[in-house]
Amino acid sequence: MPDELCGPLTDFIRHLAFETRHSPRTCDSYQRDLLRLARWLAGREVPAWRRVTNHDLRRYVATLSREGLSGRSIARHLSATRRFFQFLLREKLASDNPALDIRAPKGGRRLPRVADVDQLSHLLDSQPDDPLEVRDLCMFDLMYSSGLRLAELASLDTGTVDLRSGEVRVVGKGGKERLLPVGKKAVEAIRAWLPQRTALANEGEDALFVSQRGGRLSHRSIQARLGRWGITRGADQKLHPHLLRHSFASHMLESSGDLRAVQELLGHADIATTQVYTHLDFQHLARVYDQSHPRARRDKYHGRTHGENTSGQ
């Protein structure tokens, strides 16, 4: 790959890491997406970023679409490209931003799958058989109780949880901190785990959730343990961290109807992200309507709303 493509890309990733202090995960994502674009450009003999045109990027988007990337993934690629060209303009390595007016193709929006309330209760009421299962139950109960992301759960330290007040302090996307309530069952699970953690944790380790070796539990280990928990407990669908978070959001919205509150609890910057959870089934909506509207309570014996006149007069 030409140095004129590779060099500025390396400088941009360094800029993200050290000047704007993005997380390593975010830097890796930018680097992966932009390297893919750079290789594509090199394959078409575009030697430098200042030579990239709007037409080139439109062809690239079409290539990504043909390769099966979703509209959401292509939008992420375009976002990275726009941000990169802003950097190139600042460094006088480009004369314009050719990605500005390009939009990703729209795809069907997939609704998140959620678990049934009764099934989750059954899975979380299971009795653990050993210290690691005590830890696992605590993790899963806390994730469902507070709607935590996987990264948020893994990054918790012992000092971020206040059992007396039933609160947990988490750092979400963009380094934004929020204080979340912790349910009674999750508090009990944490109390059961803490003595086991003391026996396992390495000296000086602050992580709330530690592995058998005493260090902070990795994302991959949490995912694997949750999947294993579902299999051994007879779950009728594969359990994964996002399922617990989606279930938290959906169940909270069904019970409260307060979209803004759910947005705050989830840590969504844009309420449009939270609105995906408003696609509730009609049975639930009809039930809420019957219970709430003063002129819509239906007579279950006669199959009509109260006050309805069926005599034709």
Side-chain angles (χ1 to χ4, degrees):
M1 190 158 50
D3 288 342
E4 286 189 79
L5 289 175
C6 209
L9 180 50
T10 301
D11 293 340
F12 174 63
I13 300 303
R14 191 179 295 117
H15 160 75
L16 290 179
F18 299 108
E19 292 185 39
T20 58
R21 305 191 70 81
H22 281 67
S23 71
R25 186 180 294 269
T26 300
C27 292
D28 288 345
S29 177
Y30 272 99
Q31 186 172 40
R32 185 171 55 250
D33 290 349
L34 291 170
L35 273 175
R36 185 170 182 171
L37 171 58
R39 292 190 190 101
W40 185 87
L41 291 169
R44 279 144 191 82
E45 299 183 352
V46 178
W49 294 106
R50 64 172 68 253
R51 300 283 296 275
V52 177
T53 66
N54 180 275
H55 180 65
D56 290 329
L57 293 183
R58 290 187 184 279
R59 289 176 60 199
Y60 179 61
V61 166
T63 299
L64 294 179
S65 182
R66 283 195 301 272
E67 290 175 356
L69 264 70
S70 67
R72 185 172 182 177
S73 294
I74 294 174
R76 189 194 69 227
H77 277 261
L78 285 170
S79 176
T81 304
R82 280 191 287 271
R83 180 78 178 271
F84 178 47
F85 269 94
Q86 287 174 359
F87 170 80
L88 294 177
L89 284 168
R90 193 192 79 172
E91 299 297 310
K92 296 183 170 41
L93 296 173
S95 56
D96 67 340
N97 190 333
L100 278 181
D101 65 345
I102 302 176
R103 295 291 176 264
K106 291 184 178 180
R109 190 172 191 182
R110 293 193 315 171
L111 296 180
R113 294 183 64 189
V114 299
D116 178 76
V117 175
D118 292 334
Q119 181 185 148
L120 269 184
S121 296
H122 170 73
L123 292 170
L124 294 174
D125 285 341
S126 301
Q127 292 302 309
D129 296 327
D130 57 50
L132 294 184
E133 287 196 352
V134 173
R135 177 201 64 194
D136 294 347
L137 176 61
C138 179
M139 290 192 301
F140 310 149
D141 218 334
L142 181 56
M143 187 173 281
Y144 175 57
S145 171
S146 303
L148 302 183
R149 297 180 176 97
L150 172 60
E152 292 169 349
L153 181 82
S155 66
L156 290 179
D157 292 333
T158 53
T160 58
V161 179
D162 187 336
L163 296 179
R164 183 174 299 176
S165 61
E167 295 172 339
V168 60
R169 189 175 68 255
V170 303
V171 178
K173 290 186 176 181
K176 293 181 180 178
E177 187 176 286
R178 65 191 194 280
L179 192 64
L180 300 173
V182 179
K184 179 182 177 182
K185 290 284 189 181
V187 168
E188 292 173 357
I190 296 171
R191 290 190 191 279
W193 159 240
L194 287 176
Q196 308 290 347
R197 180 201 172 277
T198 301
L200 288 172
N202 295 329
E203 184 176 354
E205 177 58 69
D206 293 326
L208 178 59
F209 297 111
V210 297
S211 69
Q212 199 166 9
R213 296 182 178 181
R216 186 180 297 275
L217 201 62
S218 69
H219 294 194
R220 188 179 297 276
S221 295
I222 295 172
Q223 291 170 317
R225 295 293 293 193
L226 179 53
R228 177 180 178 275
W229 185 274
I231 292 170
T232 58
R233 264 63 184 181
D236 61 6
Q237 61 189 122
K238 182 179 179 181
L239 297 188
H240 54 86
H242 259 68
L243 178 70
L244 295 183
R245 179 170 159 86
H246 292 326
S247 299
F248 161 85
S250 183
H251 298 164
M252 281 291 298
L253 194 57
E254 285 183 17
S255 299
S256 69
D258 192 331
L259 189 64
R260 286 287 179 188
V262 175
Q263 178 193 5
E264 291 295 322
L265 290 169
L266 290 172
H268 286 161
D270 186 350
I271 199 167
T273 309
T274 317
Q275 285 175 327
V276 68
Y277 297 105
T278 62
H279 295 269
L280 307 177
D281 63 273
F282 179 77
Q283 292 288 336
H284 171 73
L285 294 176
R287 186 164 61 249
V288 171
Y289 184 78
D290 287 346
Q291 293 170 353
S292 305
H293 198 292
R295 294 176 66 84
R297 289 190 291 273
R298 288 178 289 190
D299 188 326
K300 64 181 179 180
Y301 297 108
H302 301 294
R304 64 178 190 273
T305 56
H306 288 291
E308 181 183 16
N309 189 329
T310 59
S311 66
Q313 297 179 359

